[in-house]
Amino acid sequence: MSQASKLALIKEMIETAESNLRSAKQLINELSGFSAKSIYTQKAAELEPSSTEEDSKIVEGIFNGQTMMDKDKKEYPVPANYASKSKLVPGDVLKLTIKENGTFLYKQIGPADRTRVIGSLTYEDGQYKVIANGKAYKVLLASVTYFKAEIGDKITLVIPATEESEWGSIENVLPANAEELEY
């Protein structure tokens, strides 16, 4: 077996092991009753109820990675391009103004505490993910295309600092020679 074949085999074995660890962690979380969705449901329950202004309805909610959940557990679609460009992370508090003509206007009014991690972009199970600190974080396709990221790229990912999350937000794609740069 050539050296290149051995390296490819080792890489495949590591990726399989990482995937198995992620699956095991997910099962542990399910068995122990942990659910990121339940955390955001609890936070949403603490928000102000919906209100009505002259020509619009105002709704506050918690961003969960893809949608906004209000006090009554109703979910509202958050445009992926807005979430990507605003670098929203799960736990962010949003205000939605629904205009009389049906227009949805979102505004971030309470950012969650954040931290940054660096990981590699992957694609598995029909979803882009960043593998960082031994965990796979889902990222929006809109972020991947906005940053022109490719599988294998090193990514700076913004994640909630205080809670477990399945989702992260791409902040930057690091240059290919990032290891050589001095910080």
Side-chain angles (χ1 to χ4, degrees), residues 9-80:
L9 179 61
I10 292 169
K11 184 177 179 184
E12 185 178 323
M13 291 169 69
I14 290 171
E15 289 172 357
T16 300
E18 287 175 339
S19 178
N20 288 338
L21 284 172
R22 283 191 300 276
S23 297
K25 285 180 181 179
Q26 184 176 357
L27 286 172
I28 287 171
N29 286 337
E30 288 173 12
L31 291 172
S32 65
F34 169 78
S35 167
K37 190 169 187 168
S38 67
I39 292 170
Y40 304 127
T41 302
Q42 289 172 334
K43 282 187 167 191
E46 299 168 6
L47 296 173
E48 295 294 321
S50 300
S51 63
T52 305
E53 291 185 357
E54 194 172 303
D55 64 344
S56 58
K57 179 180 176 182
I58 308 294
V59 181
E60 287 186 11
I62 301 292
F63 184 67
N64 66 11
Q66 289 184 294
T67 62
M68 181 190 86
M69 184 186 319
D70 74 2
K71 184 177 189 70
D72 301 319
K73 300 180 186 169
K74 183 174 179 188
E75 291 191 7
Y76 297 84
V78 175

Side-chain angles (χ1 to χ4, degrees), residues 12 39 44-45 47 55 79 92 94 124 139-140 151 166-167 173:
E12 185 178 323
I39 292 170
L47 296 173
D55 64 344
D92 283 345
L94 303 177
E124 59 184 42
V139 292
L140 296 170
I151 293 172
E166 295 180 346
W167 290 89
V173 176

Side-chain angles (χ1 to χ4, degrees), residues 115-118 130 132 137 139 155-159 168-171:
T115 189
R116 287 164 181 75
V117 294
I118 296 175
V130 173
Y137 295 93
V139 292
I155 304 290
T156 302
L157 192 70
V158 182
I159 58 172
S169 181
I170 295 176
E171 183 172 66

Side-chain angles (χ1 to χ4, degrees), residues 118-157:
I118 296 175
S120 297
L121 184 66
T122 64
Y123 186 82
E124 59 184 42
D125 305 324
Q127 173 73 54
Y128 281 99
K129 298 177 183 180
V130 173
I131 309 296
N133 296 341
K135 181 174 170 144
Y137 295 93
K138 296 177 185 177
V139 292
L140 296 170
L141 172 61
S143 292
V144 174
T145 57
Y146 176 77
F147 285 100
K148 298 178 177 83
E150 296 179 6
I151 293 172
D153 283 350
K154 291 290 183 199
I155 304 290
T156 302
L157 192 70

